[in-house]
Amino acid sequence: MRIQVRLDEAESDLELRSLCEWLTDDPAVGRSADVSLRARENRPGKMGLAFDAVQLIVDSAFQLSSLAIAIDGWRRAYATRPKMTVERNGVRVSFATADTDGARSILRALEELEQLEAGGQPRTGEARDGGTGGG
């Protein structure tokens, strides 16, 4: 399974590189996932960041809670708490910079993405497809 984490308001690759290194160094995530930076698609006449996401390739035994805790830890350590979008198979869930529910809201979003991929319905009260998860 492929999971992508984007920093929606990133002004440089430094933030994405920082997140990528954080996830790679996290014992629970780095040991169980192939973590890398995903190169941005080049668009003629457009300049911008070289990377657009941190990509994780994991198997079905991967613990989404470990990823949620690691992402929340990075967000807490990163002073600006950038807006993030997590994507899986074209379904996206975004987190506002003011999200204070931390790992729980990230885990709910990751589980919702997993449920949608399996053909289930999202639980009521949770945002999906570009919404803001966690309130």
Side-chain angles (χ1 to χ4, degrees):
M1 127 180 57
R2 192 177 308 253
I3 299 171
Q4 296 172 4
V5 181
R6 289 185 173 77
L7 302 179
D8 298 334
E9 299 163 355
E11 295 182 10
S12 75
D13 287 340
L14 294 177
E15 293 164 300
L16 274 174
R17 288 179 188 277
S18 170
L19 177 59
C20 185
E21 288 174 14
W22 185 280
L23 295 176
T24 301
D25 291 344
D26 183 275
V29 175
R31 183 174 55 233
S32 304
D34 179 18
V35 183
S36 62
L37 288 168
R38 183 182 128 154
R40 179 175 298 279
E41 293 179 16
N42 291 332
R43 289 177 275 168
K46 299 279 183 179
M47 294 198 52
L49 305 177
F51 302 102
D52 71 348
V54 174
Q55 181 169 274
L56 295 95
I57 300 175
V58 300
D59 62 25
S60 60
F62 181 74
Q63 295 295 315
L64 293 175
S65 59
S66 298
L67 178 58
I69 291 167
I71 289 172
D72 184 53
W74 181 82
R75 288 184 75 223
R76 289 177 188 274
Y78 205 84
T80 61
R81 288 194 182 179
K83 181 178 177 188
M84 302 177 85
T85 299
V86 179
E87 179 180 344
R88 184 169 159 180
N89 289 336
V91 180
R92 297 177 181 174
V93 178
S94 295
F95 302 95
T97 55
D99 177 14
T100 57
D101 197 19
R104 282 185 296 227
S105 65
I106 296 168
L107 180 57
R108 276 194 307 267
L110 291 168
E111 288 173 341
E112 182 179 342
L113 292 173
E114 185 175 50
Q115 186 176 8
L116 288 168
E117 183 179 273
Q121 293 296 316
R123 291 177 284 190
T124 58
E126 293 183 18
R128 68 179 178 97
D129 198 25
T132 302

